[in-house]
Amino acid sequence: MVRDVILLLGLALGLAACSPSGDFAACTAGDGGPDAISACSRIVLVAEIPLLGLQFDDRALAKVYMARGRHLAGKGDLKGDLDTAIGDFGKVIRLEPRDTQALLERAAAYQKRGDFDFAIADLSELIGRDPRRASHYAARGKAYQTKGDDERALKDLSQAIVMDPGDPFYKVARAASHRRKRDYDRAITDAAAAIAIQPYFAVFYVERADSLLRKGGSAERALADLDQAIKLEPGLAIAHSRRAVVLTLMKAHGEPLAEAEEGVRLDPKSAEARVTRGMIALGAAQRERAAADFNEAIRLDPKHAEAYEARGILRRADGDLDGAIRDFGEAIRLDPRMVGPHVQRGGMFRERGAHDKALDDFTLAIRNAPMQAGLYVERAQSHEKLGRLPEALDDFRVARGLDPRMPAASEGYARVEAAFAASGRPKPSGNP
């Protein structure tokens, strides 16, 4: 007991010998490096010691906790740093209950840690305190977006745009949610509006190119946007990776792989750049190279759903069907809104005769992309294999309505119609 008292006294005397004013300046005006964090931590330790802590009032301590929280939150994605930062912002909120900046900073730290519901709760508190700030709605919209709730993200981002229609970043953020919901026309409109307000941001052109590309039939326009993005920011890796995809669709020989290489060179830690290069290598029958890229993408970002989908495609082509099913399942777990993994896995189930499982996958794919005619054809074929002719006829009819030029839809409809005639059963009244 005596020894503990002596140690505590020695620590107190040692801390007292430090310069509180010097530490305060280093903490609150530092660059976020180790020295600034150490200075903040010394003040925090002094503040917890009776008598010595009296030299710091609540306002000064709030500034110290805010500074250390920002330093730690900005260091990276280390969980320990984020945990401490979140605790520091919480102390600021208790010391200065009216400090809205601390709520905003804590929400950002929660979001970085992956605790989206906590982030949204803090941002909702901010909106409740001041519902006139467009930036608060935008921040909550982006939190919903990162969580994967694009419906709520669109509501908040639309509110932010109504309140501040001149901010291009709100529009490009809403464009991303429209794109993820496959509403490509609205996404293109929002991205174009952002470009009209601020034509010098390369990422705005990449966003529009993404939707043009996904909409189909707009490869030339997408390429023009990506060329402009690269002109504005030559080192933007994602622009080069997207350009590689466009060149592949345009069947440009040699160029796609070189462009994909540039994307990886510019950002070697980008899982997306690795997946793009891997898919182009796979298309060129360079399977070992593709496998290396997909594995590296997963190592770089274990939550990158597209990397698992890409590796699943490769494994399916190589005959590793169990491995492919595992990869498609992981992609779906990480992002249930994806269509490709459901279609790939559904096709594999159908090949194995597991038509009920295939039917489930195609139904989930349709739920995510209800306007894709090919998905109804896939499901119709599974219904057909199970002898569910009315359901098959319905799906072929929907597919034919969505794309009258699709041979598989018309041929499938005629085939099932003939099966009804041969069986003597009346065709369902809803099918012309």
Side-chain angles (χ1 to χ4, degrees):
M1 177 68 179
V2 174
R3 183 183 176 188
D4 291 340
V5 171
I6 292 171
L7 286 172
L8 183 59
L9 182 59
L11 177 62
L13 290 171
L15 289 169
C18 297
S19 168
S21 60
D23 275 346
F24 187 84
C27 167
T28 57
D31 59 0
D35 290 343
I37 294 171
S38 296
C40 294
S41 297
R42 282 194 296 272
I43 294 174
V44 168
L45 193 54
V46 167
E48 292 175 352
I49 297 173
L51 299 179
L52 291 180
L54 296 176
Q55 60 191 305
F56 299 105
D57 60 18
D58 285 353
R59 175 173 288 186
L61 274 178
K63 288 181 179 179
V64 169
Y65 281 117
M66 177 69 87
R68 188 173 71 169
R70 283 173 170 168
H71 297 330
L72 290 169
K75 279 181 66 178
D77 296 323
L78 295 176
K79 187 176 184 297
D81 290 338
L82 291 173
D83 289 346
T84 304
I86 287 166
D88 281 350
F89 295 136
K91 289 184 175 72
V92 177
I93 292 165
R94 286 193 291 276
L95 290 166
E96 296 282 341
R98 292 182 295 177
D99 190 311
T100 57
Q101 188 62 33
L103 273 170
L104 192 62
E105 300 273 1
R106 189 172 69 174
Y110 275 136
Q111 194 168 340
K112 198 171 185 181
R113 198 174 69 176
D115 293 328
F116 302 115
D117 289 334
F118 286 126
I120 289 164
D122 274 352
L123 294 166
S124 297
E125 172 70 16
L126 275 176
I127 291 169
R129 291 187 188 187
D130 186 359
R132 297 168 297 176
R133 293 285 295 274
S135 60
H136 293 166
Y137 286 97
R140 190 174 68 177
K142 290 173 186 176
Y144 276 126
Q145 196 175 62
T146 309
K147 183 184 176 183
D149 189 345
D150 285 300
E151 285 290 346
R152 290 185 178 179
L154 285 170
K155 289 180 182 177
D156 274 346
L157 291 167
S158 295
Q159 180 63 29
I161 290 168
V162 167
M163 296 170 75
D164 187 359
D167 191 308
F169 295 98
Y170 301 164
K171 288 182 168 63
V172 83
R174 189 172 68 176
S177 276
H178 281 314
R179 169 174 52 79
R180 285 166 28 148
K181 287 179 65 62
R182 297 178 179 83
D183 191 345
Y184 300 124
D185 288 331
R186 285 182 177 171
I188 291 165
T189 299
D190 270 345
I195 291 167
I197 296 169
Q198 178 49 274
Y200 302 111
F201 276 92
V203 291
F204 293 177
Y205 293 92
V206 174
E207 180 60 53
R208 185 168 67 179
D210 246 1
S211 290
L212 287 167
L213 195 59
R214 294 169 190 273
K215 183 181 177 182
S218 302
E220 291 80 6
R221 289 176 61 197
L223 186 62
D225 271 348
L226 293 168
D227 286 343
Q228 180 63 15
I230 291 168
K231 180 180 177 181
L232 290 167
E233 192 175 337
L236 187 61
I238 191 173
H240 289 278
S241 293
R242 291 286 193 279
R243 192 170 187 274
V245 174
V246 176
L247 291 172
T248 300
L249 293 174
M250 296 174 74
K251 299 186 178 358
H253 299 292
E255 280 190 86
L257 192 53
E259 198 68 48
E261 294 275 13
E262 182 67 2
V264 173
R265 186 190 71 79
L266 289 167
D267 190 357
K269 293 184 178 180
S270 168
E272 184 173 347
R274 298 276 179 173
V275 171
T276 298
R277 187 175 71 176
M279 288 303 294
I280 292 172
L282 181 58
Q286 299 178 18
R287 292 191 174 185
E288 288 186 7
R289 188 176 187 183
D293 268 337
F294 300 151
N295 289 333
E296 179 63 8
I298 290 168
R299 188 192 71 79
L300 288 167
D301 183 1
K303 295 182 179 180
H304 198 282
E306 289 82 0
Y308 289 96
E309 179 187 17
R311 191 172 70 176
I313 291 169
L314 175 61
R315 284 179 165 175
R316 183 180 183 185
D318 283 344
D320 180 7
L321 303 185
D322 290 334
I325 286 176
R326 284 196 302 271
D327 276 345
F328 293 138
E330 182 63 10
I332 290 165
R333 185 188 72 79
L334 290 168
D335 187 355
R337 300 164 303 175
M338 294 181 76
V339 173
H342 283 297
V343 175
Q344 291 280 347
R345 191 175 67 175
M348 293 177 68
F349 283 141
R350 191 164 61 207
E351 289 166 8
R352 291 181 164 191
H355 299 298
D356 282 325
K357 289 184 177 179
L359 199 66
D360 290 341
D361 264 334
F362 295 136
T363 298
L364 290 168
I366 288 170
R367 186 178 301 168
N368 290 335
M371 301 306 290
Q372 289 191 20
L375 300 180
Y376 292 92
V377 170
E378 295 283 0
R379 189 171 68 175
Q381 290 171 353
S382 289
H383 279 309
E384 200 175 353
K385 291 287 186 181
L386 289 166
R388 300 172 179 173
L389 298 186
E391 291 87 349
L393 200 65
D394 277 338
D395 274 347
F396 280 129
R397 176 182 58 79
V398 173
R400 194 173 60 172
L402 289 169
D403 187 353
R405 296 174 297 177
M406 181 178 282
S410 300
E411 292 166 7
Y413 189 90
R415 184 174 63 250
V416 176
E417 192 175 40
F420 269 110
S423 68
R425 295 163 59 189
K427 187 174 66 173
S429 57
N431 288 276

